[in-house]
């Protein structure tokens, strides 16, 4: 009997020690592996696995699908396959992760498109394992650097936002399609199972910025929480170790759509851009936290002046709200950690995307005469975006209470 008690005690200690390896939650706090409150401080790897038009300095061409369409018209499909493969392999590298760690952050959020886990064409490939190939690599770099990772489904089947953000078709069809919701849940189950023992993963941001305000939100909003429950059930069927992050309706801003938290390891997340720096701006989220004794955090904010970045950070930290500022890098940008210069001749590509291209005749009229020149400029853009050519934005980084590492 004594041996049995010792064995059970040893097993309990081992289980407890193992459980502590994962980031968790307790009341209003996210809890680190040391059992102490963990305040998220970091950035988003935007534009890497979800290219956005404004990150390429485009206006009308503002999602990956539209970017790919326009650039393919300029240089052809085979060239674009090569470009996107190189883009995925070089836009974010271990050097970027090491730089971020040296700045003093403790975590990153990685937006991704669900198509990386399907046979659907995306960024020049239709490989259902491509998502794991790319994420495993960066998770490995983060593990070495002791940085935690949140995986963010920025683009869900059918589209969860209804705007360029989800790279969809202009409406949040996810919420009217049982097949799309099932596919979303199935992909999250696959991801959660793949990473179930990975302590570097903090958790899963299930749906980025669902349900834009352009639509009949009174009709669509009631479908949001049930969709989260369906996805969470899929995650929990294989993985009880990681946090699920639940974002509000209308660009992750509206918590009124939520009832009592339905998962014991959940964090409710909001996004906030271009507002006054006043407590009333975040009061709705604080009230939800206090009412239900659940953690909250801001998954995206920033893209503002250094003063605003500084003041909003302090407002969040004063209220025990962690943050991931957006974005890490962008072309010709002072409002992020890193900037890089768009190459000479890039304006010609921008001009092409602004011209009418609704028919083949318009495409022919809009196309530049020297396609080889355009091809070289496109690859020069990628070369410029590499870490070695990026320029740290000192004011922005210091506004976040971080230091500017030497390159």
């Amino acid at each position: 009997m004594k041996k049995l008690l010792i064995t059970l005690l040893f097993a309990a200690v081992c289980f407890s020690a193992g459980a502590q390896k994962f980031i968790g939650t307790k009341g209003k706090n996210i809890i680190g592996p040391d059992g102490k409150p963990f305040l998220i401080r970091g950035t988003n790897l935007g534009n890497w696995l979800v290219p956005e038009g404004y990150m390429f300095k485009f206006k009308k061409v503002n999602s990956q699908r539209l970017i790919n369409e326009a650039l393919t018209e300029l240089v052809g499909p085979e060239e674009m396959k090569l470009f996107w493969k190189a883009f995925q392999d070089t836009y974010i590298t271990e050097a970027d992760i090491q730089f971020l760690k040296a700045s003093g952050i403790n975590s990153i959020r990685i937006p991704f498109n669900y198509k990386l886990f399907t046979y659907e064409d995306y960024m020049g490939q239709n490989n259902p394992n491509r998502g794991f190939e790319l994420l495993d690599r960066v998770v490995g770099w983060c593990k070495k650097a002791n940085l935690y990772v949140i995986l963010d489904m920025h683009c869900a089947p059918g589209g969860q936002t209804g705007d360029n953000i989800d790279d969809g078709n202009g409406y949040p069809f996810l919420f009217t399609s049982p097949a799309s919701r099932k596919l979303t849940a199935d992909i999250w189950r696959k991801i959660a199972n793949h990473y179930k023992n990975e302590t570097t993963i903090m958790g899963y941001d299930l749906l980025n910025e669902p349900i834009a305000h352009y639509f009949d939100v009174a009709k669509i909003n009631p479908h949001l929480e049930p969709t989260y429950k369906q996805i969470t059930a899929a995650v929990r069927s294989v993985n009880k170790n990681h946090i699920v992050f639940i974002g509000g309706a209308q660009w992750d801003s509206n918590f009124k759509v939520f009832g009592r938290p339905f998962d014991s390891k959940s964090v409710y997340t909001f996004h906030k851009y271009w507002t006054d720096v006043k407590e009333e701006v975040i009061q709705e989220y604080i009230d939800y936290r206090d009412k239900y004794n659940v953690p909250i955090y801001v998954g995206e904010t920033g893209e503002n002046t250094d003063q605003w970045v500084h003041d909003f950070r302090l407002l969040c930290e004063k209220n025990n709200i962690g943050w991931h500022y957006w974005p890490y890098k962008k072309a010709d940008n002072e409002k992020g950690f890193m900037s890089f210069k768009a190459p000479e001749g890039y304006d010609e590509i921008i001009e092409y995307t602004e011209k009418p291209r609704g028919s083949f005749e318009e495409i022919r009229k809009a196309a530049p005469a020297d396609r080889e020149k355009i091809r070289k400029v496109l690859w020069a853009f990628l070369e410029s975006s590499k870490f070695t050519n990026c320029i740290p934005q000192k004011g922005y980084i210091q506004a976040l209470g971080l230091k500017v590492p030497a390159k």
Side-chain angles (χ1 to χ4, degrees), residues 103-114:
S103 76
I105 70 167
N106 58 26
S107 54
I108 59 172
R109 179 173 176 260
I110 306 179
F112 68 88
N113 192 312
Y114 82 92

Side-chain angles (χ1 to χ4, degrees), residues 112-283:
F112 68 88
N113 192 312
Y114 82 92
K115 293 179 182 179
L116 288 165
F117 298 92
T118 73
Y119 285 102
E120 295 183 56
D121 288 336
Y122 186 67
M123 297 182 78
Q125 297 187 44
N126 57 352
N127 174 6
N129 294 313
R130 184 61 175 160
F132 288 129
E133 291 170 1
L134 292 164
L135 292 176
D136 284 355
R137 191 163 62 196
V138 75
V139 167
W141 297 333
C142 289
K143 192 178 187 73
K144 285 171 60 178
N146 195 28
L147 289 177
Y148 291 98
V149 174
I150 294 175
L151 300 181
D152 152 46
M153 188 179 279
H154 224 70
C155 309
Q160 79 282 2
T161 306
D163 204 3
N164 66 293
I165 301 296
D166 65 20
D167 195 34
N169 297 288
Y171 187 85
F173 287 110
L174 172 69
F175 301 102
T176 61
S177 169
S180 290
R181 291 195 296 277
K182 181 180 183 302
L183 179 57
T184 304
D186 288 346
I187 291 171
W188 269 123
R189 181 187 292 109
K190 182 164 66 171
I191 293 170
N193 187 56
H194 182 83
Y195 290 115
K196 62 185 175 183
N197 296 318
E198 180 50 72
T199 55
T200 302
I201 299 291
M202 187 188 312
Y204 310 116
D205 195 337
L206 302 180
L207 293 173
N208 176 72
E209 296 186 349
I211 313 173
H213 65 284
Y214 310 118
F215 310 106
D216 185 350
V217 298
K219 180 180 179 181
I220 306 174
N221 279 357
H223 295 285
L224 181 58
E225 192 170 57
T227 300
Y228 277 131
K229 289 180 178 178
Q230 180 180 353
I231 299 169
T232 301
V235 169
R236 294 301 180 221
S237 71
V238 296
N239 181 335
K240 295 179 173 58
N241 292 326
H242 293 129
I243 295 169
V244 289
F245 290 83
I246 310 294
Q250 286 71 69
W251 313 98
D252 272 10
S253 72
N254 177 8
F255 277 22
K256 294 180 178 67
V257 298
F258 296 133
R260 181 178 297 277
F262 54 86
D263 186 87
S264 61
K265 194 177 284 188
S266 58
V267 172
Y268 283 71
T269 177
F270 65 96
H271 294 178
K272 195 61 64 177
Y273 289 101
W274 312 304
T275 65
D276 292 334
V277 183
K278 297 178 180 178
E279 194 152 320
E280 62 196 57
V281 169
I282 59 174
Q283 193 61 51

